[in-house]
Amino acid sequence: MAVSIVAVILVSLLIGGSIYTFFTSKIYQRSYFSASIFAALLLVYLIVLIGFGFIYFWLSLHDVLLIEYSQPPEQFYLIELFAHAFYFSGVTLMTVGYGDITPIGWGRVIALVEALIGYILPAAFIFKLTQHGQAVQSNKKSSHSQGK
């Protein structure tokens, strides 16, 4: 038990240190990474996850929408329906799709839309970073030409 706790702490420190280094390190001179754009991406992911989670939850209250291991949702408590809806939303948004919870009916269409959004967001993030990098480059060029 103690070994597993130590392992979890060490792995957590390693992950935390890697993330900290990623955001603070200036290894590359031409780094166009924007923490504000990254934070906006995380915020958009969170809003989409919560929004679709509420959609799944609301629909599961009114209709059979999500089935876990072939067990109908009527056998779950309200908090379990809530947790399942948000878990399914997160798994769908990240396009992981474990298959433990299956949407039926309109839930399939909604899950496809959410998965598509989750698939497109990283590309939009890269596009935004590219635009940011081009803006930084043009600002540097214009400041150099004005300084001469």
Side-chain angles (χ1 to χ4, degrees), residues 33 65 76 78 114-115 120 130 143 146 148:
F33 179 77
L65 181 69
F76 294 121
L78 193 62
E114 184 181 13
I120 290 173
T130 303
S143 67
Q146 289 175 357
K148 289 184 177 181

Side-chain angles (χ1 to χ4, degrees), residues 102-120:
T102 306
I104 59 173
W106 282 101
R108 289 181 178 190
V109 175
I110 295 168
L112 282 173
V113 170
E114 184 181 13
L116 182 64
I117 291 170
Y119 194 71
I120 290 173

